[in-house]
Amino acid sequence: MAKVVIDALLERFPGAVTGAAAGPGGDDVAFVERERIAEVCRFLKEDPALAFNVAPYVTAVDYLGQEPRFEVVYNLLSTRRSWRVRLRVKVPEADPVVPSVTGVWRGADWFERYCFDMYGIRFTGHPDLRRLFMYDEFVGHPLRKDYPLRGRQPLVAERGVQDVYRGPGPAGRD
Amino acid sequence: MASEIDVVPAIPTRKDEAIGRLQQMVSQGLGWARKYSLFQYPFVTACCGMEYMTLAAARYDLDRFGAALPRFSPRQADLLMVVGTVNCKQAPVLRRVWEQIAEPKWVVAFGVCASSGGFYDNYATVQGIDQIIPVDVYVPGCPPRPEQVLDGIMLLQKKIQGQTHRLVEPAPAPAIVAPGTR
Ligand code: SF4
């Protein structure tokens, strides 16, 4: 199937693509160097034989305890060929900065904002890198594995709840 | 320590008695009128909304209890139905909607998410809307069956019927706070 894609990548970017594997059922992966991800994406989109015109999902993974700690994952789809490919980019914790691919696919905008919101990965060249889900007052990045599970940061003061009846049911009912 | 002998028995005068009786009659009448004309504001945020639609539609027919008419302005409503998950980002909105409803007002927490946060015990979800606003009736279930909600509405009606409605409200009106200073 999409062995062609892997071969084309390895041939065109011998320095940038550091490892690739064609998995079963079109589950193809390529590891790409962080600095050249935008360039690789532009090639995949603009090459007429490949034409990966959609980025259906861009996300990130936190491998806490490993180095480099983060990974940004780009799932790409070619609607013309019906091919899918997955690009993975290693990102170190000390410098979590990746070039933005919003210039290639405009739809990657909110996905990159999501990665910034949840993992704190910054995308250079992104037009509007704000939080996507959490509010601006929120401190930290909640999907990082070292963020506390119940680390709520309420926006309005919470009242201590006193007026709850905790018996077996309202007395004298029916 | 006050013993039983020390307590001065309160002897109601005929005026007190008359006012008390009048207040009781007015309360009963008002309670009866209010419990059958609940105008609800549906604050629907999540999957419980599907069950809310079933509840409001013909098969379960909330209209039988006089709570049929959803008002989409809090100023016209007196029953706030919080249907679904409320997260921390939304909490100020819910608080504001509740503040905009004129007295008398009641709140129903529809589903476990609204009642206690449900299984969303995480960084984003308010652990029950009673952390933000007072709640009259909690309806558990994920989502609750419409019968459960009808039961909750009937409990609320009972509560409204039993409430004392004062003839004169002694508490002073709250001071108006200039916007942006809160
Ligand atoms: S209680 Fe269940 S059905 Fe209702 S909003 Fe929560 S998760 Fe959805």
Side-chain angles (χ1 to χ4, degrees), chain B residues 55-81:
Chain B
L55 176 73
R59 184 174 289 264
Y60 290 95
D61 198 7
L62 206 51
D63 202 4
R64 294 177 292 157
F65 301 89
L69 208 57
R71 308 306 304 179
F72 296 103
S73 160
R75 290 158 206 280
Q76 301 170 352
D78 45 24
L79 169 60
L80 175 61
M81 281 248 211

mmCIF file of all heavy atoms in Angstrom, chain B residues 55-81:
data_model
loop_
_atom_site.group_PDB
_atom_site.id
_atom_site.type_symbol
_atom_site.label_atom_id
_atom_site.label_comp_id
_atom_site.label_asym_id
_atom_site.label_seq_id
_atom_site.Cartn_x
_atom_site.Cartn_y
_atom_site.Cartn_z
ATOM 1 N N LEU B 55 -38.124 13.856 28.429
ATOM 2 C CA LEU B 55 -38.959 14.276 29.547
ATOM 3 C C LEU B 55 -39.938 15.364 29.127
ATOM 4 O O LEU B 55 -41.109 15.345 29.502
ATOM 5 C CB LEU B 55 -38.041 14.786 30.656
ATOM 6 C CG LEU B 55 -38.692 15.370 31.887
ATOM 7 C CD1 LEU B 55 -39.276 14.256 32.691
ATOM 8 C CD2 LEU B 55 -37.683 16.138 32.683
ATOM 9 N N ALA B 56 -39.457 16.289 28.321
ATOM 10 C CA ALA B 56 -40.300 17.422 27.954
ATOM 11 C C ALA B 56 -41.268 17.068 26.831
ATOM 12 O O ALA B 56 -42.249 17.772 26.620
ATOM 13 C CB ALA B 56 -39.414 18.589 27.537
ATOM 14 N N ALA B 57 -40.984 15.978 26.097
ATOM 15 C CA ALA B 57 -41.830 15.647 24.957
ATOM 16 C C ALA B 57 -43.072 14.882 25.410
ATOM 17 O O ALA B 57 -43.306 14.678 26.596
ATOM 18 C CB ALA B 57 -41.025 14.831 23.945
ATOM 19 N N ALA B 58 -43.849 14.427 24.440
ATOM 20 C CA ALA B 58 -45.221 14.011 24.725
ATOM 21 C C ALA B 58 -45.309 12.766 25.602
ATOM 22 O O ALA B 58 -46.245 12.632 26.375
ATOM 23 C CB ALA B 58 -45.946 13.756 23.413
ATOM 24 N N ARG B 59 -44.348 11.850 25.502
ATOM 25 C CA ARG B 59 -44.531 10.578 26.199
ATOM 26 C C ARG B 59 -44.517 10.757 27.716
ATOM 27 O O ARG B 59 -45.339 10.177 28.426
ATOM 28 C CB ARG B 59 -43.460 9.585 25.783
ATOM 29 C CG ARG B 59 -43.653 8.224 26.396
ATOM 30 C CD ARG B 59 -42.654 7.242 25.845
ATOM 31 N NE ARG B 59 -42.914 6.895 24.464
ATOM 32 C CZ ARG B 59 -43.602 5.814 24.091
ATOM 33 N NH1 ARG B 59 -44.074 5.005 24.994
ATOM 34 N NH2 ARG B 59 -43.790 5.558 22.833
ATOM 35 N N TYR B 60 -43.573 11.531 28.207
ATOM 36 C CA TYR B 60 -43.506 11.727 29.663
ATOM 37 C C TYR B 60 -44.172 13.030 30.092
ATOM 38 O O TYR B 60 -44.622 13.143 31.225
ATOM 39 C CB TYR B 60 -42.063 11.645 30.144
ATOM 40 C CG TYR B 60 -41.558 10.233 30.045
ATOM 41 C CD1 TYR B 60 -40.841 9.802 28.941
ATOM 42 C CD2 TYR B 60 -41.878 9.324 31.020
ATOM 43 C CE1 TYR B 60 -40.426 8.497 28.839
ATOM 44 C CE2 TYR B 60 -41.460 8.012 30.935
ATOM 45 C CZ TYR B 60 -40.743 7.604 29.841
ATOM 46 O OH TYR B 60 -40.347 6.312 29.738
ATOM 47 N N ASP B 61 -44.144 14.022 29.221
ATOM 48 C CA ASP B 61 -45.030 15.165 29.334
ATOM 49 C C ASP B 61 -44.934 15.892 30.680
ATOM 50 O O ASP B 61 -45.766 15.731 31.574
ATOM 51 C CB ASP B 61 -46.475 14.713 29.094
ATOM 52 C CG ASP B 61 -47.325 15.920 28.760
ATOM 53 O OD1 ASP B 61 -46.751 16.995 28.610
ATOM 54 O OD2 ASP B 61 -48.553 15.768 28.650
ATOM 55 N N LEU B 62 -43.918 16.693 30.778
ATOM 56 C CA LEU B 62 -43.723 17.503 31.978
ATOM 57 C C LEU B 62 -44.866 18.497 32.204
ATOM 58 O O LEU B 62 -45.049 19.011 33.296
ATOM 59 C CB LEU B 62 -42.394 18.258 31.838
ATOM 60 C CG LEU B 62 -41.649 18.692 33.077
ATOM 61 C CD1 LEU B 62 -41.493 17.537 34.017
ATOM 62 C CD2 LEU B 62 -40.304 19.229 32.695
ATOM 63 N N ASP B 63 -45.620 18.725 31.170
ATOM 64 C CA ASP B 63 -46.726 19.680 31.256
ATOM 65 C C ASP B 63 -47.760 19.269 32.293
ATOM 66 O O ASP B 63 -48.450 20.114 32.862
ATOM 67 C CB ASP B 63 -47.390 19.801 29.880
ATOM 68 C CG ASP B 63 -48.136 21.103 29.744
ATOM 69 O OD1 ASP B 63 -48.066 21.911 30.683
ATOM 70 O OD2 ASP B 63 -48.768 21.306 28.698
ATOM 71 N N ARG B 64 -47.854 17.960 32.555
ATOM 72 C CA ARG B 64 -48.823 17.508 33.546
ATOM 73 C C ARG B 64 -48.528 18.100 34.916
ATOM 74 O O ARG B 64 -49.406 18.167 35.770
ATOM 75 C CB ARG B 64 -48.788 15.983 33.656
ATOM 76 C CG ARG B 64 -49.243 15.286 32.416
ATOM 77 C CD ARG B 64 -49.107 13.808 32.578
ATOM 78 N NE ARG B 64 -47.702 13.415 32.650
ATOM 79 C CZ ARG B 64 -47.287 12.303 33.215
ATOM 80 N NH1 ARG B 64 -48.120 11.485 33.780
ATOM 81 N NH2 ARG B 64 -46.005 11.996 33.215
ATOM 82 N N PHE B 65 -47.264 18.482 35.133
ATOM 83 C CA PHE B 65 -46.872 19.030 36.430
ATOM 84 C C PHE B 65 -46.744 20.545 36.379
ATOM 85 O O PHE B 65 -46.209 21.163 37.279
ATOM 86 C CB PHE B 65 -45.567 18.389 36.887
ATOM 87 C CG PHE B 65 -45.692 16.906 36.992
ATOM 88 C CD1 PHE B 65 -45.428 16.102 35.903
ATOM 89 C CD2 PHE B 65 -46.146 16.327 38.156
ATOM 90 C CE1 PHE B 65 -45.588 14.740 35.994
ATOM 91 C CE2 PHE B 65 -46.297 14.970 38.252
ATOM 92 C CZ PHE B 65 -46.027 14.173 37.158
ATOM 93 N N GLY B 66 -47.186 21.114 35.298
ATOM 94 C CA GLY B 66 -47.162 22.567 35.190
ATOM 95 C C GLY B 66 -45.785 23.137 34.940
ATOM 96 O O GLY B 66 -45.565 24.321 35.122
ATOM 97 N N ALA B 67 -44.837 22.288 34.546
ATOM 98 C CA ALA B 67 -43.479 22.779 34.317
ATOM 99 C C ALA B 67 -43.099 22.628 32.858
ATOM 100 O O ALA B 67 -42.003 22.222 32.531
ATOM 101 C CB ALA B 67 -42.498 22.026 35.210
ATOM 102 N N ALA B 68 -44.012 22.930 31.970
ATOM 103 C CA ALA B 68 -43.795 22.584 30.570
ATOM 104 C C ALA B 68 -43.021 23.621 29.799
ATOM 105 O O ALA B 68 -42.387 23.309 28.812
ATOM 106 C CB ALA B 68 -45.132 22.385 29.886
ATOM 107 N N LEU B 69 -43.050 24.849 30.249
ATOM 108 C CA LEU B 69 -42.644 25.930 29.363
ATOM 109 C C LEU B 69 -41.196 26.317 29.622
ATOM 110 O O LEU B 69 -40.912 26.987 30.607
ATOM 111 C CB LEU B 69 -43.576 27.111 29.597
ATOM 112 C CG LEU B 69 -43.783 28.046 28.429
ATOM 113 C CD1 LEU B 69 -44.299 27.284 27.229
ATOM 114 C CD2 LEU B 69 -44.732 29.137 28.819
ATOM 115 N N PRO B 70 -40.237 25.881 28.783
ATOM 116 C CA PRO B 70 -38.863 26.339 28.993
ATOM 117 C C PRO B 70 -38.743 27.797 28.569
ATOM 118 O O PRO B 70 -39.191 28.173 27.484
ATOM 119 C CB PRO B 70 -38.032 25.441 28.078
ATOM 120 C CG PRO B 70 -38.966 24.472 27.478
ATOM 121 C CD PRO B 70 -40.336 25.014 27.606
ATOM 122 N N ARG B 71 -38.166 28.591 29.447
ATOM 123 C CA ARG B 71 -37.911 29.984 29.100
ATOM 124 C C ARG B 71 -36.422 30.107 28.853
ATOM 125 O O ARG B 71 -35.632 29.658 29.669
ATOM 126 C CB ARG B 71 -38.310 30.932 30.234
ATOM 127 C CG ARG B 71 -39.702 30.741 30.749
ATOM 128 C CD ARG B 71 -40.715 30.792 29.679
ATOM 129 N NE ARG B 71 -40.648 32.026 28.921
ATOM 130 C CZ ARG B 71 -41.443 32.297 27.900
ATOM 131 N NH1 ARG B 71 -42.357 31.437 27.536
ATOM 132 N NH2 ARG B 71 -41.325 33.422 27.256
ATOM 133 N N PHE B 72 -36.044 30.727 27.763
ATOM 134 C CA PHE B 72 -34.617 30.816 27.479
ATOM 135 C C PHE B 72 -34.049 32.141 27.922
ATOM 136 O O PHE B 72 -33.014 32.574 27.440
ATOM 137 C CB PHE B 72 -34.360 30.498 26.016
ATOM 138 C CG PHE B 72 -34.747 29.074 25.733
ATOM 139 C CD1 PHE B 72 -35.924 28.766 25.080
ATOM 140 C CD2 PHE B 72 -33.962 28.047 26.204
ATOM 141 C CE1 PHE B 72 -36.286 27.453 24.877
ATOM 142 C CE2 PHE B 72 -34.323 26.734 26.006
ATOM 143 C CZ PHE B 72 -35.491 26.431 25.334
ATOM 144 N N SER B 73 -34.757 32.811 28.800
ATOM 145 C CA SER B 73 -34.173 33.955 29.477
ATOM 146 C C SER B 73 -34.319 33.707 30.967
ATOM 147 O O SER B 73 -35.405 33.397 31.437
ATOM 148 C CB SER B 73 -34.902 35.234 29.095
ATOM 149 O OG SER B 73 -34.645 36.206 30.072
ATOM 150 N N PRO B 74 -33.247 33.810 31.728
ATOM 151 C CA PRO B 74 -33.354 33.551 33.164
ATOM 152 C C PRO B 74 -34.289 34.529 33.856
ATOM 153 O O PRO B 74 -34.812 34.224 34.927
ATOM 154 C CB PRO B 74 -31.917 33.681 33.668
ATOM 155 C CG PRO B 74 -31.151 34.289 32.581
ATOM 156 C CD PRO B 74 -31.866 34.050 31.320
ATOM 157 N N ARG B 75 -34.523 35.669 33.268
ATOM 158 C CA ARG B 75 -35.382 36.659 33.922
ATOM 159 C C ARG B 75 -36.844 36.243 33.909
ATOM 160 O O ARG B 75 -37.655 36.799 34.619
ATOM 161 C CB ARG B 75 -35.246 38.010 33.224
ATOM 162 C CG ARG B 75 -33.895 38.610 33.498
ATOM 163 C CD ARG B 75 -33.531 39.622 32.459
ATOM 164 N NE ARG B 75 -32.087 39.737 32.357
ATOM 165 C CZ ARG B 75 -31.354 40.444 33.191
ATOM 166 N NH1 ARG B 75 -31.901 41.076 34.174
ATOM 167 N NH2 ARG B 75 -30.051 40.499 33.040
ATOM 168 N N GLN B 76 -37.191 35.295 33.047
ATOM 169 C CA GLN B 76 -38.576 34.844 33.005
ATOM 170 C C GLN B 76 -38.761 33.503 33.689
ATOM 171 O O GLN B 76 -39.842 32.951 33.662
ATOM 172 C CB GLN B 76 -39.035 34.729 31.547
ATOM 173 C CG GLN B 76 -38.931 36.018 30.791
ATOM 174 C CD GLN B 76 -39.146 35.823 29.317
ATOM 175 O OE1 GLN B 76 -39.222 34.704 28.840
ATOM 176 N NE2 GLN B 76 -39.256 36.922 28.600
ATOM 177 N N ALA B 77 -37.683 32.965 34.252
ATOM 178 C CA ALA B 77 -37.764 31.604 34.781
ATOM 179 C C ALA B 77 -37.741 31.618 36.303
ATOM 180 O O ALA B 77 -37.348 32.601 36.926
ATOM 181 C CB ALA B 77 -36.588 30.788 34.263
ATOM 182 N N ASP B 78 -38.210 30.520 36.908
ATOM 183 C CA ASP B 78 -38.019 30.401 38.343
ATOM 184 C C ASP B 78 -37.506 29.030 38.746
ATOM 185 O O ASP B 78 -37.263 28.786 39.907
ATOM 186 C CB ASP B 78 -39.289 30.744 39.122
ATOM 187 C CG ASP B 78 -40.521 30.107 38.544
ATOM 188 O OD1 ASP B 78 -40.404 29.084 37.857
ATOM 189 O OD2 ASP B 78 -41.610 30.632 38.761
ATOM 190 N N LEU B 79 -37.332 28.126 37.792
ATOM 191 C CA LEU B 79 -36.727 26.836 38.099
ATOM 192 C C LEU B 79 -35.526 26.650 37.188
ATOM 193 O O LEU B 79 -35.667 26.644 35.969
ATOM 194 C CB LEU B 79 -37.741 25.705 37.866
ATOM 195 C CG LEU B 79 -37.178 24.292 37.888
ATOM 196 C CD1 LEU B 79 -36.548 23.979 39.208
ATOM 197 C CD2 LEU B 79 -38.271 23.290 37.587
ATOM 198 N N LEU B 80 -34.348 26.559 37.792
ATOM 199 C CA LEU B 80 -33.132 26.349 37.005
ATOM 200 C C LEU B 80 -32.844 24.866 36.978
ATOM 201 O O LEU B 80 -32.607 24.256 38.010
ATOM 202 C CB LEU B 80 -31.963 27.116 37.633
ATOM 203 C CG LEU B 80 -30.592 26.921 37.000
ATOM 204 C CD1 LEU B 80 -30.599 27.385 35.564
ATOM 205 C CD2 LEU B 80 -29.538 27.685 37.766
ATOM 206 N N MET B 81 -32.917 24.269 35.785
ATOM 207 C CA MET B 81 -32.606 22.850 35.619
ATOM 208 C C MET B 81 -31.188 22.768 35.088
ATOM 209 O O MET B 81 -30.938 23.153 33.952
ATOM 210 C CB MET B 81 -33.531 22.236 34.581
ATOM 211 C CG MET B 81 -34.885 21.928 35.105
ATOM 212 S SD MET B 81 -35.010 20.159 35.128
ATOM 213 C CE MET B 81 -36.703 19.946 34.851
#
